Amino acid sequence: MPLVSPKEMFEKAYVGGYAIGAFNVNNMEIVQGIMEAGKAENAPLILQVSAGARKYAGQVYIMKLMEAALQLADLPVVLHLDHGPNFELCKEVIDGGFTSVMYDGSHLPYEENIAETKKVVEYAHARGVWVEAELGRLAGVEDDVHSDEHIYTDPDQAKDFVTRTGCDSLAIAIGTSHGAYKFKGEAKLDFARLEKVSQLLPGLPIVLHGASSVPQEFVEMANKYGGNIPGARGVPEDLLRRAASMAVCKINIDTDIRLAMTATIRKHFVENPADFDPRQYLAPARTAVKEMVQRKIKNVLGCSGKA
Ligand code: G3H
Ligand code: 13P
Ligand code: ZN
């Protein structure tokens, strides 16, 4: 099956009260782990590539990895650009075969965000490519830039933004944040705000970034085997499941994959100090990715059997 648009996936997810996982990929083992999980759960998948991941792996390698992944799995798979920083990069990946892009103008003044998003929408739609945009600002780390401040999405502004840009889905800020340190106090999401946005924009798929749960067993494992990430905390799985049952159709997960791989590799090195063949530690890391993605599909997304 060739790469698909997220359109049909989101339509089904919206009415079905579940969400699709958008998993960040950087290398072969991550792609393989995610695809194995998708196959085991018969779940639709979004594989997403940030500007940094594209720089790291190279677009040709990414496209060839996707070709291999699709040859070995009969699943609907979207290839998405995560946090597209400018029109040029969105254009390059669209021309290269991505079926979905995010243009992230959330850091720009409102009117500039609208103008730039519109430009991407015009180019993408002429080529049948989906466009996610973002309004509001998440705290946390993105491409090495750290922001302490949340700016929650204003629902009326979201309606105006979507109407004027013609974007297909919208990432909103309701309390999630990127990275492994999401909450200092009580973990909570602004469900009333999510509800308001979806009332004003019925049928519009909503996207949640910064939606890793940072499972504590992996934090403990990383710290036990030489890591130093005390106090790492994510979004509780039940809050995400509730969001997925509402208008949230895409849930972004990167940190949990990083954590699962790294904790597993740390453990392997401590328990097997004589190993130096990368396959010895990358194979269990790949299995850890698969298990983490399966856990997401079951506990958070609710998309098992929906391929
Ligand atoms: O939201 C950002 C993603 O976690 C991608 O991170 O830019 O380090 O690849 P990255
Ligand atoms: P996490 O850092 O919570 O995994 O979020 C990833 C993300 O939003 C990618 O766009
Ligand atoms: Zn993000």
Side-chain angles (χ1 to χ4, degrees):
M1 193 188 284
L3 287 167
V4 299
S5 158
K7 187 175 190 306
E8 198 183 319
M9 274 185 199
F10 289 163
E11 279 168 4
K12 289 187 189 163
Y14 194 94
V15 297
Y18 61 90
I20 315 296
F23 301 101
N24 286 73
V25 299
N26 296 280
N27 68 9
M28 183 184 77
E29 283 77 10
I30 297 176
V31 171
Q32 289 175 327
I34 297 167
M35 292 304 300
E36 285 306 313
K39 279 198 278 184
E41 295 297 328
N42 194 31
L45 293 169
I46 299 174
L47 269 54
Q48 58 184 10
V49 179
S50 68
R54 180 175 175 273
K55 195 169 164 201
Y56 173 79
Q59 183 152 323
V60 175
Y61 270 102
I62 287 164
M63 297 315 294
K64 294 293 175 189
L65 282 172
M66 293 312 301
E67 193 184 318
L70 292 166
Q71 191 179 321
L72 297 171
D74 188 24
L75 288 178
V77 180
V78 170
L79 180 60
H80 174 80
L81 173 67
D82 190 28
H83 294 284
N86 51 46
F87 172 79
E88 288 68 32
L89 187 60
C90 293
K91 178 179 180 303
E92 275 181 45
V93 302
I94 291 169
D95 294 347
F98 281 43
T99 52
S100 176
V101 294
M102 173 192 195
Y103 170 69
D104 183 358
S106 60
H107 53 288
L108 296 174
Y110 184 60
E111 291 298 330
E112 256 181 77
N113 188 2
I114 291 189
E116 289 304 305
T117 303
K118 255 176 98 168
K119 208 168 135 188
V120 174
V121 167
E122 275 162 28
Y123 190 83
H125 284 184
R127 289 152 187 84
V129 171
W130 186 272
V131 180
E132 172 186 325
E134 179 167 336
L135 198 56
R137 202 170 304 157
L138 272 62
V141 189
E142 241 173 75
D143 262 339
D144 297 333
V145 179
H146 185 88
S147 160
D148 283 328
E149 203 192 1
H150 284 289
I151 302 176
Y152 283 21
T153 307
D154 177 83
D156 293 313
Q157 199 177 52
K159 184 171 170 64
D160 181 64
F161 182 87
V162 172
T163 311
R164 288 172 63 194
T165 60
C167 67
D168 303 296
S169 54
L170 187 68
I172 62 169
I174 56 165
T176 61
S177 57
H178 291 107
Y181 302 91
K182 299 189 194 295
F183 297 100
K184 288 195 184 95
E186 186 198 349
K188 51 179 194 286
L189 299 182
D190 190 343
F191 286 105
R193 192 174 292 268
L194 167 60
E195 187 61 44
K196 189 80 204 291
V197 173
S198 56
Q199 272 168 10
L200 291 173
L201 291 161
L204 186 85
I206 303 294
V207 179
L208 271 196
H209 282 249
S212 279
S213 294
V214 192
Q216 291 303 297
E217 59 269 39
F218 287 94
V219 176
E220 281 157 24
M221 196 199 294
N223 287 335
K224 180 174 172 192
Y225 294 101
N228 184 21
I229 47 170
R233 274 179 71 199
V235 189
E237 290 181 340
D238 58 324
L239 297 189
L240 294 167
R241 184 70 201 94
R242 182 171 163 203
S245 74
M246 299 167 70
V248 170
C249 294
K250 174 173 177 275
I251 290 191
N252 284 12
I253 296 153
D254 187 1
T255 296
D256 284 349
I257 290 178
R258 296 177 176 188
L259 189 57
M261 285 192 94
T262 304
T264 302
I265 291 171
R266 282 194 178 284
K267 180 170 187 279
H268 186 92
F269 281 149
V270 170
E271 290 179 349
N272 304 277
D275 281 0
F276 59 90
D277 176 344
R279 293 169 297 188
Q280 290 165 325
Y281 54 88
L282 289 176
R286 179 172 58 188
T287 302
V289 173
K290 178 186 176 198
E291 289 170 1
M292 179 61 82
V293 172
Q294 277 193 267
R295 170 185 180 145
K296 297 286 153 188
I297 290 170
K298 288 191 232 183
N299 296 2
V300 168
L301 302 161
C303 64
S304 193
K306 308 290 189 187

PDB file of all heavy atoms in Angstrom, residues 24 48 82-83 102 104 132 134 138 141-142 178 208-211 252, ligand 3:
ATOM      1  N   ASN A  24       7.537  10.012  16.241  1.00  0.00           N
ATOM      2  CA  ASN A  24       8.715  10.609  15.602  1.00  0.00           C
ATOM      3  C   ASN A  24       9.743   9.550  15.246  1.00  0.00           C
ATOM      4  O   ASN A  24      10.049   8.671  16.068  1.00  0.00           O
ATOM      5  CB  ASN A  24       9.346  11.649  16.533  1.00  0.00           C
ATOM      6  CG  ASN A  24       8.520  12.912  16.575  1.00  0.00           C
ATOM      7  OD1 ASN A  24       7.446  12.947  17.178  1.00  0.00           O
ATOM      8  ND2 ASN A  24       8.987  13.946  15.909  1.00  0.00           N
ATOM      9  N   GLN A  48       6.302  10.552  11.767  1.00  0.00           N
ATOM     10  CA  GLN A  48       6.606  11.957  11.531  1.00  0.00           C
ATOM     11  C   GLN A  48       8.084  12.246  11.691  1.00  0.00           C
ATOM     12  O   GLN A  48       8.778  11.637  12.498  1.00  0.00           O
ATOM     13  CB  GLN A  48       5.727  12.873  12.374  1.00  0.00           C
ATOM     14  CG  GLN A  48       5.794  12.693  13.863  1.00  0.00           C
ATOM     15  CD  GLN A  48       4.798  13.602  14.584  1.00  0.00           C
ATOM     16  OE1 GLN A  48       3.945  14.225  13.959  1.00  0.00           O
ATOM     17  NE2 GLN A  48       4.926  13.710  15.890  1.00  0.00           N
ATOM     18  N   ASP A  82       6.963  17.076  10.921  1.00  0.00           N
ATOM     19  CA  ASP A  82       6.640  17.587  12.252  1.00  0.00           C
ATOM     20  C   ASP A  82       7.278  18.973  12.433  1.00  0.00           C
ATOM     21  O   ASP A  82       8.474  19.146  12.181  1.00  0.00           O
ATOM     22  CB  ASP A  82       7.206  16.588  13.282  1.00  0.00           C
ATOM     23  CG  ASP A  82       6.735  16.865  14.688  1.00  0.00           C
ATOM     24  OD1 ASP A  82       5.637  17.428  14.856  1.00  0.00           O
ATOM     25  OD2 ASP A  82       7.461  16.478  15.635  1.00  0.00           O
ATOM     26  N   HIS A  83       6.489  19.942  12.871  1.00  0.00           N
ATOM     27  CA  HIS A  83       7.005  21.302  13.135  1.00  0.00           C
ATOM     28  C   HIS A  83       7.764  21.903  11.963  1.00  0.00           C
ATOM     29  O   HIS A  83       8.901  22.396  12.138  1.00  0.00           O
ATOM     30  CB  HIS A  83       7.902  21.323  14.385  1.00  0.00           C
ATOM     31  CG  HIS A  83       7.164  21.032  15.651  1.00  0.00           C
ATOM     32  ND1 HIS A  83       6.353  21.944  16.277  1.00  0.00           N
ATOM     33  CD2 HIS A  83       7.075  19.893  16.389  1.00  0.00           C
ATOM     34  CE1 HIS A  83       5.811  21.394  17.357  1.00  0.00           C
ATOM     35  NE2 HIS A  83       6.222  20.136  17.443  1.00  0.00           N
ATOM     36  N   MET A 102       3.164  19.660   8.774  1.00  0.00           N
ATOM     37  CA  MET A 102       2.771  20.662   9.753  1.00  0.00           C
ATOM     38  C   MET A 102       3.570  21.921   9.433  1.00  0.00           C
ATOM     39  O   MET A 102       4.802  21.873   9.312  1.00  0.00           O
ATOM     40  CB  MET A 102       3.132  20.218  11.173  1.00  0.00           C
ATOM     41  CG  MET A 102       2.877  21.316  12.187  1.00  0.00           C
ATOM     42  SD  MET A 102       3.599  20.942  13.782  1.00  0.00           S
ATOM     43  CE  MET A 102       2.748  22.150  14.788  1.00  0.00           C
ATOM     44  N   ASP A 104       4.474  25.160  11.369  1.00  0.00           N
ATOM     45  CA  ASP A 104       4.390  25.666  12.741  1.00  0.00           C
ATOM     46  C   ASP A 104       4.768  27.142  12.803  1.00  0.00           C
ATOM     47  O   ASP A 104       5.941  27.492  12.914  1.00  0.00           O
ATOM     48  CB  ASP A 104       5.303  24.836  13.654  1.00  0.00           C
ATOM     49  CG  ASP A 104       5.206  25.279  15.106  1.00  0.00           C
ATOM     50  OD1 ASP A 104       4.462  26.240  15.390  1.00  0.00           O
ATOM     51  OD2 ASP A 104       5.880  24.678  15.959  1.00  0.00           O
ATOM     52  N   GLU A 132      -1.361  20.542   8.738  1.00  0.00           N
ATOM     53  CA  GLU A 132      -1.635  20.810  10.157  1.00  0.00           C
ATOM     54  C   GLU A 132      -0.993  22.153  10.485  1.00  0.00           C
ATOM     55  O   GLU A 132       0.123  22.428  10.037  1.00  0.00           O
ATOM     56  CB  GLU A 132      -0.991  19.683  10.988  1.00  0.00           C
ATOM     57  CG  GLU A 132      -1.002  19.890  12.486  1.00  0.00           C
ATOM     58  CD  GLU A 132      -0.214  18.777  13.195  1.00  0.00           C
ATOM     59  OE1 GLU A 132      -0.216  17.603  12.756  1.00  0.00           O
ATOM     60  OE2 GLU A 132       0.446  19.104  14.199  1.00  0.00           O
ATOM     61  N   GLU A 134      -0.598  25.323  13.798  1.00  0.00           N
ATOM     62  CA  GLU A 134      -0.607  25.418  15.270  1.00  0.00           C
ATOM     63  C   GLU A 134      -0.937  26.829  15.722  1.00  0.00           C
ATOM     64  O   GLU A 134      -0.455  27.812  15.176  1.00  0.00           O
ATOM     65  CB  GLU A 134       0.754  24.983  15.860  1.00  0.00           C
ATOM     66  CG  GLU A 134       0.781  25.085  17.394  1.00  0.00           C
ATOM     67  CD  GLU A 134       1.964  24.380  18.036  1.00  0.00           C
ATOM     68  OE1 GLU A 134       2.532  23.455  17.432  1.00  0.00           O
ATOM     69  OE2 GLU A 134       2.318  24.767  19.162  1.00  0.00           O
ATOM     70  N   LEU A 138       3.210  25.875  23.305  1.00  0.00           N
ATOM     71  CA  LEU A 138       3.484  24.878  24.334  1.00  0.00           C
ATOM     72  C   LEU A 138       4.785  25.242  25.044  1.00  0.00           C
ATOM     73  O   LEU A 138       5.742  25.663  24.385  1.00  0.00           O
ATOM     74  CB  LEU A 138       3.682  23.499  23.685  1.00  0.00           C
ATOM     75  CG  LEU A 138       2.461  22.628  23.438  1.00  0.00           C
ATOM     76  CD1 LEU A 138       1.488  23.299  22.490  1.00  0.00           C
ATOM     77  CD2 LEU A 138       2.878  21.282  22.869  1.00  0.00           C
ATOM     78  N   VAL A 141      10.761  21.929  25.318  1.00  0.00           N
ATOM     79  CA  VAL A 141      11.924  22.014  24.444  1.00  0.00           C
ATOM     80  C   VAL A 141      11.536  21.617  23.031  1.00  0.00           C
ATOM     81  O   VAL A 141      10.907  20.596  22.819  1.00  0.00           O
ATOM     82  CB  VAL A 141      13.035  21.025  24.909  1.00  0.00           C
ATOM     83  CG1 VAL A 141      14.319  21.261  24.133  1.00  0.00           C
ATOM     84  CG2 VAL A 141      13.255  21.113  26.389  1.00  0.00           C
ATOM     85  N   GLU A 142      11.901  22.428  22.069  1.00  0.00           N
ATOM     86  CA  GLU A 142      11.659  22.131  20.660  1.00  0.00           C
ATOM     87  C   GLU A 142      12.890  22.544  19.885  1.00  0.00           C
ATOM     88  O   GLU A 142      13.264  23.714  19.915  1.00  0.00           O
ATOM     89  CB  GLU A 142      10.502  23.003  20.159  1.00  0.00           C
ATOM     90  CG  GLU A 142       9.311  22.241  19.666  1.00  0.00           C
ATOM     91  CD  GLU A 142       8.182  23.202  19.374  1.00  0.00           C
ATOM     92  OE1 GLU A 142       8.250  23.894  18.359  1.00  0.00           O
ATOM     93  OE2 GLU A 142       7.261  23.255  20.199  1.00  0.00           O
ATOM     94  N   HIS A 178       6.344  19.835  25.316  1.00  0.00           N
ATOM     95  CA  HIS A 178       7.345  18.917  24.769  1.00  0.00           C
ATOM     96  C   HIS A 178       8.360  18.491  25.824  1.00  0.00           C
ATOM     97  O   HIS A 178       8.615  19.229  26.780  1.00  0.00           O
ATOM     98  CB  HIS A 178       8.090  19.591  23.610  1.00  0.00           C
ATOM     99  CG  HIS A 178       7.234  19.800  22.403  1.00  0.00           C
ATOM    100  ND1 HIS A 178       6.774  21.031  22.022  1.00  0.00           N
ATOM    101  CD2 HIS A 178       6.730  18.909  21.507  1.00  0.00           C
ATOM    102  CE1 HIS A 178       6.033  20.905  20.922  1.00  0.00           C
ATOM    103  NE2 HIS A 178       5.978  19.629  20.599  1.00  0.00           N
ATOM    104  N   LEU A 208      -2.750  16.952  19.415  1.00  0.00           N
ATOM    105  CA  LEU A 208      -2.070  17.230  20.694  1.00  0.00           C
ATOM    106  C   LEU A 208      -0.585  16.941  20.542  1.00  0.00           C
ATOM    107  O   LEU A 208      -0.188  15.787  20.307  1.00  0.00           O
ATOM    108  CB  LEU A 208      -2.612  16.348  21.810  1.00  0.00           C
ATOM    109  CG  LEU A 208      -3.803  16.810  22.633  1.00  0.00           C
ATOM    110  CD1 LEU A 208      -3.904  15.967  23.897  1.00  0.00           C
ATOM    111  CD2 LEU A 208      -3.744  18.296  22.992  1.00  0.00           C
ATOM    112  N   HIS A 209       0.205  17.984  20.663  1.00  0.00           N
ATOM    113  CA  HIS A 209       1.663  17.804  20.724  1.00  0.00           C
ATOM    114  C   HIS A 209       2.047  17.596  22.184  1.00  0.00           C
ATOM    115  O   HIS A 209       1.241  17.800  23.098  1.00  0.00           O
ATOM    116  CB  HIS A 209       2.363  19.056  20.191  1.00  0.00           C
ATOM    117  CG  HIS A 209       2.370  19.130  18.704  1.00  0.00           C
ATOM    118  ND1 HIS A 209       3.508  18.993  17.966  1.00  0.00           N
ATOM    119  CD2 HIS A 209       1.354  19.288  17.819  1.00  0.00           C
ATOM    120  CE1 HIS A 209       3.205  19.077  16.677  1.00  0.00           C
ATOM    121  NE2 HIS A 209       1.896  19.268  16.560  1.00  0.00           N
ATOM    122  N   GLY A 210       3.300  17.202  22.381  1.00  0.00           N
ATOM    123  CA  GLY A 210       3.797  17.080  23.749  1.00  0.00           C
ATOM    124  C   GLY A 210       2.999  16.097  24.572  1.00  0.00           C
ATOM    125  O   GLY A 210       2.713  16.324  25.748  1.00  0.00           O
ATOM    126  N   ALA A 211       2.649  14.958  23.947  1.00  0.00           N
ATOM    127  CA  ALA A 211       1.698  14.042  24.588  1.00  0.00           C
ATOM    128  C   ALA A 211       2.327  12.736  25.066  1.00  0.00           C
ATOM    129  O   ALA A 211       1.638  11.726  25.190  1.00  0.00           O
ATOM    130  CB  ALA A 211       0.548  13.764  23.610  1.00  0.00           C
ATOM    131  N   ASN A 252       0.845  13.212  19.405  1.00  0.00           N
ATOM    132  CA  ASN A 252       2.268  13.165  19.052  1.00  0.00           C
ATOM    133  C   ASN A 252       3.110  12.572  20.177  1.00  0.00           C
ATOM    134  O   ASN A 252       3.024  13.042  21.326  1.00  0.00           O
ATOM    135  CB  ASN A 252       2.775  14.579  18.785  1.00  0.00           C
ATOM    136  CG  ASN A 252       2.338  15.116  17.444  1.00  0.00           C
ATOM    137  OD1 ASN A 252       1.485  14.544  16.778  1.00  0.00           O
ATOM    138  ND2 ASN A 252       2.945  16.214  17.036  1.00  0.00           N
TER     139      ASN A 252
HETATM  140 ZN    ZN B   3       5.411  18.819  18.749  1.00  0.00          ZN
END
